Amino acid sequence: MATAKKNLASGKTPLRRADPLDQLGRELLVQIMQEITRDAVLTIDRDGRITSWNQGAEALLGWPAAEVLGRHFDFLLPEDLKRSGEVERLLEATESHGFLRDWETRRLTKDGHEIHVALTRMHQLDGDGKPLGATAILRDISPRKGLEEELLRARTLGAIGEAAARIAHEIRNPLTGIHNAITLLAAEFGPAHHRAPIFKEIQHEIKRVDVVLDDLLTFARHRPLSRQRVDLVRMLEKVVANLIAAGDLEGVVVRRYFPDELVVVADPSMLEDSLYNLVQNAAHALRGHNEALITLALKPGPKGIAITVTDNGPGITADIRRKIFDPFFTTKAHGTGLGLPITKKHIEAHGGRLRVRSAPDRRTTFEILLPPTVAPSN
Ligand SMILES: Nc1ncnc2c1ncn2[C@@H]1O[C@H](COP(=O)(O)OP(=O)(O)O)[C@@H](O)[C@H]1O
Ligand SMILES: [Mg+2]
């Protein structure tokens, strides 16, 4: 410091090379930080390439150090953040303030999952104040974020549900009236009349509206569980048979990993609807795909019963995955966007959980976890 001052004062050019001791000190500091913390700590050079990666980073993000050193850090960013310019925003923020503290964002793990993290980022300068790169610390805040989102969703759903139920009731009565009138007219003109196909078409469309209303009411209405003994193996076989009859499983191989029998005490219609929705979604995802395969598995375990529906379809991008449990969200021309919200509601009513694992071009697995309380007491 004194040297630099003297140099400045005497008008000489200050030292341009990094002070080796300072450099060593900084490296030591980063190393110590990396070892004592369970957070992910990584350093990157000026070009954004990863130069160190601690055990916390391996644990949080799933990548071993050997596979990431030298790579640009942007593979850790979800596509939507990359597109919205997060890399540039980060650089700008760190450059203008020297550091960034607890920036809440998302990162991708090796297996394609997104996690919520709080990011602290510090600029690293050499002895002359020239940028060397940055140190980033990532703290996992997924559990807290999950709760916040859950709460927000519950509130929104409550409001949407009430409005939807009222609208559905209002529409149902006139719709029944229209249906009856058309049926009467169709009967009067007879099936041979040249207008008969039009009546058929109207009846078909009314049926579709009716299905949507049904879904809406199921979703919005609170119905207490009506528990009975049911065999999940038979129930899944029935769901598959119904979907085959509806033509949804044409060209799809269905592989089953079932025990001989698995009896639970649960609400049969809620469970059947849930399974139907998941297998039907898998079938829809496989439309037009070669070697289409759906794998169904039933696994009883100490933590409850896991029912998984896996398909080898196109997978779900992280962007879409965030929305699939929102009511009315659909990517299908004739979808209602209520299948997954209803399924989630039914499963949670049993104290269970519905989870999804998917990424583009990977297999998609929806998993229902029923709690041990569904086991029959005998
Ligand atoms: N197995 C799957 N593979 C790919 N995308 C899926 C799968 N299951 C659900 N999805 C996505 O979730 C969305 C919502 O599903 P859902 O709530 O059942 O409504 P809908 O089937 O009427 O669209 C679907 O439109 C689709 O984009
Ligand atoms: Mg569906």
Side-chain angles (χ1 to χ4, degrees):
M1 206 51 188
T3 334
K5 242 189 202 154
K6 204 168 80 202
N7 283 344
L8 280 178
S10 61
K12 278 193 211 157
T13 347
L15 214 65
R16 295 243 58 104
R17 251 179 333 108
D19 178 336
L21 251 186
D22 271 358
Q23 179 71 33
L24 201 63
R26 264 190 299 274
E27 275 169 16
L28 209 62
L29 199 68
V30 169
Q31 208 178 331
I32 291 171
M33 228 160 61
Q34 291 188 335
E35 276 165 22
I36 61 171
T37 178
R38 279 193 310 183
D39 292 339
V41 183
L42 54 137
T43 54
I44 54 173
D45 67 13
R46 241 179 330 194
D47 301 321
R49 281 188 303 252
I50 296 171
T51 49
S52 77
W53 183 262
N54 77 340
Q55 282 187 351
E58 287 193 8
L60 182 65
L61 298 158
W63 295 91
E67 288 179 29
V68 299
L69 292 178
R71 282 177 74 176
H72 191 281
F73 74 90
D74 69 357
F75 70 95
L76 297 169
L77 271 65
E79 272 311 313
D80 62 311
L81 290 185
K82 248 193 268 182
R83 259 184 281 122
S84 67
E86 166 132 334
V87 174
E88 294 73 24
R89 268 202 310 278
L90 272 178
L91 293 179
E92 209 178 278
T94 346
E95 254 157 42
S96 55
H97 305 291
F99 71 93
L100 188 72
R101 207 182 158 136
D102 285 335
W103 166 302
E104 292 193 1
T105 180
R106 290 173 276 119
R107 288 295 177 263
L108 282 177
T109 62
K110 186 177 180 184
D111 58 11
H113 278 94
E114 271 191 23
I115 50 169
H116 289 279
V117 294
L119 167 66
T120 295
R121 203 170 189 273
M122 286 155 290
H123 228 27
Q124 277 197 322
L125 304 173
D126 69 11
D128 294 336
K130 280 199 303 190
L132 270 178
T135 302
I137 305 171
L138 299 169
R139 195 158 40 84
D140 184 12
I141 53 166
S142 290
R144 166 164 77 71
K145 272 286 167 199
L147 281 180
E148 278 172 13
E149 277 173 14
E150 193 76 5
L151 193 66
L152 186 67
R153 195 180 305 126
R155 285 192 186 136
T156 322
L157 287 194
I160 294 176
E162 271 171 39
R166 277 220 301 278
I167 296 168
H169 273 301
E170 294 296 327
I171 296 176
R172 191 142 248 186
N173 288 339
L175 195 69
T176 311
I178 296 171
H179 184 258
N180 292 344
I182 290 293
T183 310
L184 260 176
L185 277 178
E188 217 163 278
F189 283 96
H193 195 270
H194 73 287
R195 294 290 190 215
I198 297 182
F199 292 130
K200 248 207 154 63
E201 178 65 18
I202 297 173
Q203 281 168 319
H204 176 75
E205 293 298 320
I206 291 174
K207 188 127 201 86
R208 259 189 46 203
V209 178
D210 200 48
V211 169
V212 177
L213 290 182
D214 240 10
D215 273 2
L216 247 174
L217 285 170
T218 313
F219 171 67
R221 215 187 274 139
H222 177 74
R223 178 167 77 72
L225 292 188
S226 145
R227 291 190 193 255
Q228 288 171 33
R229 284 174 73 96
V230 281
D231 175 12
L232 287 176
V233 176
R234 281 181 56 193
M235 186 179 271
L236 263 165
E237 290 295 0
K238 183 176 158 201
V239 165
V240 172
N242 287 345
L243 283 163
I244 289 175
D248 276 328
L249 288 172
E250 228 161 86
V252 180
V253 173
V254 180
R255 207 174 273 159
R256 287 110 155 142
Y257 293 94
F258 294 167
D260 290 340
E261 185 188 79
L262 186 53
V263 175
V264 294
V265 180
D267 188 301
S269 81
M270 285 192 191
L271 272 193
E272 193 177 318
D273 280 355
S274 303
L275 297 172
Y276 190 90
N277 286 337
L278 296 186
V279 185
Q280 190 188 43
N281 277 348
H284 287 168
L286 290 168
R287 267 190 199 147
H289 272 250
N290 291 330
E291 294 178 33
L293 174 70
I294 293 179
T295 308
L296 304 174
L298 269 177
K299 270 177 270 167
K303 287 190 186 156
I305 293 166
I307 312 170
T308 53
V309 178
T310 303
D311 68 75
N312 61 349
I316 311 177
T317 64
D319 260 8
I320 290 185
R321 203 171 55 209
R322 262 197 300 283
K323 300 179 212 147
I324 56 175
F325 296 108
D326 291 346
F328 312 115
F329 174 81
T330 179
T331 54
K332 301 171 192 170
H334 291 301
T336 64
L338 287 170
L340 288 177
I342 288 175
T343 303
K344 189 166 188 293
K345 184 179 152 184
H346 285 346
I347 298 307
E348 287 177 357
H350 285 82
R353 278 190 300 158
L354 176 63
R355 293 197 301 207
V356 56
R357 283 190 297 274
S358 181
D361 295 325
R362 292 199 192 191
R363 287 189 300 184
T364 299
T365 298
F366 280 86
E367 179 183 54
I368 292 177
L369 266 171
L370 292 174
T373 48
V374 298
S377 52
N378 260 92

